[in-house]
Structures are given as C-alpha cells and as structure tokens.
C-alpha cells in the first residue's frame, strides 16, 4: 500500500473519531439540557401548585369569616328584636335572610374567583410544559457518524 493511501485511511479514521467524539459531546449537552429544563419546569409547576394552595386557603378563611359575620349579625338582630319586645315575625326573618343571602352571594363570588384562578394556573402549567418541550427540542442531538459514509468519501 502506498503512503498516500495509508495517509488517507489514517485521516479518514481520525475524522471519524473526531466526529464520533463531537456527537457524544452534543448528545451529553442535549441530555444535560433536558435534565435542566425538566428541573426548571418542575420547579415552576411546584410554585404554581403552592400558589393555588395558598389561594384556596385564603378563600376558605374568607368564607369562614363571612359565615361568622353573618351568624353574628343574625344573632344580634334576634337579640335586639327580643330586647325591643318583638316576638319574631317576617320583618326579623327577612333581615336575617338578607344577611344569609349576602353571605351566599359573596361565597359564590369567591368560589368563582377560585375556579378561574385554578383554570389560569392549569393553563400556566401547560404553558410551562410546552415551553420546556420547546427548549428541549431546540437543542440538537448528537448524530453518530456513519463509518460507511466516512470510508466512501
């Protein structure tokens, strides 16, 4: 075999090894990027879950305060009516019903706001997952070189 052919074979082997090493490095970067992106997505989703729990707890506390306030108003009205000599009747019952109606309307409003927030957070979670997938897909994977293609050139 002449020296030029041997040199060409050696160069082809060296090029193949270099391309193979580059492919392994690109694949390692891709895999590390995938891990980093998944961790970032998980952290964002965890943060959104925590936010939702906090909002639900705040809404529950607000509804509890409304129930207590409504009960206090109703009982105060009953006591005041008793002290004034009223033995009951539709005007007292109507006043008490108005307190309960106001509480129920406010509770419904709180429930609607909580539901809307839950839907928004769910969409944000889906967005975080889509963004993560996009970031993963934007990174090229390592492509192992073909020995046949290297020899054929």
């Amino acid at each position: 075999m002449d020296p030029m052919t041997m040199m060409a074979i050696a160069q082809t082997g060296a090029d193949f090894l270099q391309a193979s090493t580059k492919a392994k490095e690109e694949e390692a970067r891709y895999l590390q990027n995938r891990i980093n992106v998944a961790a970032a997505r998980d952290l964002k989703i965890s943060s959104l879950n925590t936010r939702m729990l906090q909002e639900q707890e705040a809404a529950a506390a607000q509804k509890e305060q409304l129930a207590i306030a409504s009960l206090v108003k109703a009982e105060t009205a009953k006591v005041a009516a008793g002290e004034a000599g009223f033995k009951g009747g539709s005007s007292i019952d109507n006043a008490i019903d108005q307190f309960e109606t106001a509480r129920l309307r406010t509770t419904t409003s709180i429930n609607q706001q909580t539901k809307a927030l839950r839907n928004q957070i769910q969409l944000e979670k889906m967005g975080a997952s889509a963004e993560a997938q996009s970031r993963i897909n934007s990174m090229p994977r390592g492509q192992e070189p073909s020995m046949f293609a290297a020899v054929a050139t």
Side-chain angles (χ1 to χ4, degrees):
M1 196 181 303
D2 71 68
M4 290 302 277
T5 303
M6 288 175 55
M7 189 99 100
I9 292 171
Q11 183 62 43
T12 299
D15 290 346
F16 179 80
L17 288 175
Q18 183 180 12
S20 182
T21 300
K22 182 180 176 190
K24 287 177 184 171
E25 289 171 355
E26 285 178 355
E27 185 67 11
R29 278 194 301 274
Y30 170 83
L31 293 174
Q32 187 60 49
N33 178 61
R34 185 180 181 98
I35 290 168
N36 294 344
V37 168
R41 181 208 56 218
D42 292 348
L43 184 61
K44 188 171 190 174
I45 287 175
S46 176
S47 172
L48 290 169
N49 286 338
T50 300
R51 179 176 157 212
M52 188 64 231
L53 286 174
Q54 290 169 341
E55 293 289 345
Q56 286 175 333
E57 288 172 1
Q62 190 176 7
K63 288 190 284 188
E64 181 180 24
Q65 290 301 317
L66 281 168
I68 291 169
S70 176
L71 185 61
V72 167
K73 287 179 183 178
E75 293 305 313
T76 301
K78 288 178 187 177
V79 169
E83 288 176 352
F86 292 111
K87 297 193 187 218
S90 63
S91 61
I92 295 170
D93 291 340
N94 287 341
I96 292 171
D97 288 345
Q98 287 178 355
F99 299 141
E100 182 64 10
T101 300
R103 181 190 72 82
L104 292 173
R105 283 187 181 136
T106 305
T107 297
T108 299
S109 176
I110 292 168
N111 290 342
Q112 289 171 341
Q113 290 171 353
T114 303
K115 183 179 178 182
L117 181 62
R118 186 175 28 254
N119 290 341
Q120 176 189 352
I121 287 177
Q122 190 63 29
L123 289 173
E124 287 181 34
K125 288 180 190 180
M126 291 168 55
S129 292
E131 180 183 322
Q133 189 63 51
S134 177
R135 286 179 54 198
I136 289 169
N137 292 343
S138 71
M139 190 95 172
R141 294 197 76 160
Q143 297 290 325
E144 284 290 330
S146 167
M147 180 58 101
F148 179 73
V151 171
T153 56

